[in-house]
Amino acid sequence: MTVSTRVDLALLGIRGTPPVNRTGGAGPSDDGHLLIDGLNAAIPRNPNSPFIFDGDRVLFDGVDAGVEVATIGRPRFYDLTTDDGVPYEQIAKLHGADVLATTVVQTCIRYAEDQRCRFCSIEESLRSGATVAVKKPEQLADVARAAVELDGITQMVMTTGTSNGKDRGAKHLARCVRAVKAAVPDLPIQVQCEPPADLVTITDLRDAGADAIGIHVESLDDDVRRRWMPGKATVSLDDYRAAWAEAVRVFGRNQVSTYLLVGLGDNPDEMIAGAKELADTGVYPFIVPFRPHAGTLAVDVDHAAGPDPAIVEKISREVAVHLQWIGMTGSEQRAGCAACGACGVLQNVGG
Ligand code: SF4
């Protein structure tokens, strides 16, 4: 499969519903999860896509698109429920073939319409009843144990909506990490949160047992940040830089990552330069195409379209070359989105 077909799939998506899929949620969502060329792939579900997933193959214009695709079976832990009747599937989801992912607090102080990130639908899955607002540490421990034992998951991602406190939600994350590590000590965990106001919180997360951390900025351009993420843009880029530096000190080089979303309006060359700079400081810049999906302001209000495939490919390729040059790859992260890689194409081009 060519890289451009992989980019087209990432942007145009597929018609059809793979057994492992998700609807709304934090970050990119509303996708089906497959293995493409042996790598995790989170592909948007799009009823208008020219690509059809027929359960075994990806077809284009009725003809096999030449994509080496493997279906991921519905995980067995989805059939379990907690003692108080909460389905495990509402507590954490399978992403890709082997990642357990959860949003420990499914609400966000920035979710007012004039504050929220315009690409995010974190509270929509809560409204639809697909998940619960706050995941208890002991629930996550039970689900993680089951997902390891029944489905062989190899890593876990814990993200959170931003809370009102100075820790921005990190304290609850730390409690959840501790509980999961007590249940399955060998399971690598990545935590994701905004830069905490008090940087010692980053050490608290590491001490709790987190193996990697994502501090996601999405754009390095303040105009883009104000337009797309008015709430989050009140946290300055300097605060992000300080948090990344502290995280690299605490977690180590290439155990810290950030999302850079292609398609919000960043100048591509500036994004490439910014990504290289981040990588040089030890932060893996996970290049991810912006994915318009229903339930977000970007689609429901702005009618925003996804990025130009050629730009996604150019940025991914140039950043991947630099990552190879400095010896940094996503697969070397102990856990997390960069290790999984499904939401971008960076790993497909060697990053
Ligand atoms: S990259 Fe992150 S959000 Fe995307 S499928 Fe993998 S773990 Fe989930």
Side-chain angles (χ1 to χ4, degrees):
M1 184 193 52
T2 63
V3 171
S4 64
T5 306
R6 178 65 185 84
V7 173
D8 285 344
L9 277 169
L11 296 177
L12 298 171
I14 45 169
R15 274 185 272 165
T17 305
V20 174
N21 60 73
R22 58 183 177 152
T23 49
S29 60
D30 204 2
D31 50 24
H33 291 233
L34 298 164
L35 286 172
I36 294 183
D37 282 348
L39 296 173
N40 281 325
I43 305 295
R45 287 181 298 153
N46 170 12
N48 301 315
S49 172
F51 293 104
I52 297 175
F53 174 66
D54 73 354
D56 293 307
R57 294 167 307 162
V58 174
L59 307 172
F60 184 83
D61 269 351
V63 179
D64 195 312
V67 175
E68 194 200 312
V69 60
T71 307
I72 300 160
R74 181 185 148 83
R76 283 184 282 180
F77 79 85
Y78 279 11
D79 295 330
L80 303 178
T81 49
T82 62
D83 292 343
D84 49 354
V86 183
Y88 277 18
E89 186 179 357
Q90 293 191 1
I91 295 167
K93 300 274 281 179
L94 180 69
H95 284 197
D98 52 8
V99 184
L100 184 67
T102 183
T103 302
V104 299
V105 174
Q106 199 84 32
T107 55
C108 184
I109 46 152
R110 309 205 187 283
Y111 212 63
E113 247 188 70
D114 60 347
Q115 292 299 302
R116 86 174 72 147
C117 301
R118 302 188 82 77
F119 47 75
C120 185
S121 61
I122 187 168
E123 294 195 10
E124 302 316 304
S125 41
L126 188 57
R127 264 176 221 135
S128 73
T131 188
V132 287
V134 179
K135 280 77 174 183
K136 295 181 196 148
E138 57 275 19
Q139 288 177 330
L140 286 167
D142 289 345
V143 174
R145 191 187 294 107
V148 168
E149 285 173 4
L150 299 177
D151 300 291
I153 65 123
T154 59
Q155 58 132 315
M156 184 165 187
V157 176
M158 289 185 189
T159 190
T160 184
T162 299
S163 74
N164 231 335
K166 270 171 56 181
D167 65 299
R168 303 216 162 104
K171 277 203 182 115
H172 186 62
L173 269 177
R175 282 192 288 268
C176 294
V177 171
R178 238 179 252 286
V180 171
K181 282 285 183 174
V184 265
D186 295 334
L187 183 68
I189 301 174
Q190 187 213 33
V191 288
Q192 303 178 348
C193 59
E194 283 192 22
D198 189 348
L199 291 182
V200 81
T201 305
I202 291 173
T203 299
D204 296 342
L205 286 164
R206 181 77 177 123
D207 288 348
D211 297 277
I213 186 167
I215 302 173
H216 297 172
V217 73
E218 280 88 22
S219 165
L220 296 168
D221 178 324
D222 268 328
D223 289 337
V224 171
R225 297 181 71 226
R226 279 189 287 268
R227 206 162 53 241
W228 280 83
M229 308 154 245
K232 245 175 104 160
T234 59
V235 181
S236 71
L237 285 174
D238 281 346
D239 287 344
Y240 273 86
R241 288 192 193 98
W244 287 324
E246 176 63 3
V248 170
R249 190 188 72 75
V250 172
F251 282 83
R253 177 182 182 270
N254 200 20
Q255 299 306 330
V256 181
S257 57
T258 195
Y259 265 60
L260 294 177
L261 282 183
V262 182
L264 305 188
D266 289 68
N267 174 297
D269 291 323
E270 284 174 16
M271 181 176 276
I272 292 165
K276 288 179 181 176
E277 230 176 276
L278 280 167
D280 289 343
T281 62
V283 179
Y284 182 91
F286 188 32
I287 306 293
V288 175
F290 156 62
R291 183 190 298 172
H293 66 89
T296 61
L297 295 175
V299 166
D300 299 348
V301 178
D302 307 338
H303 309 293
D308 176 349
I311 303 284
V312 174
E313 190 172 337
K314 173 188 158 76
I315 296 177
S316 302
R317 277 188 189 281
E318 291 193 28
V319 172
V321 166
H322 186 75
L323 290 172
Q324 283 175 7
W325 173 253
I326 63 169
M328 178 186 256
T329 59
S331 59
E332 285 163 353
Q333 295 244 336
R334 289 187 281 259
C337 286
C340 164
C343 287
V345 300
L346 211 42
Q347 288 199 13
N348 302 76
V349 290

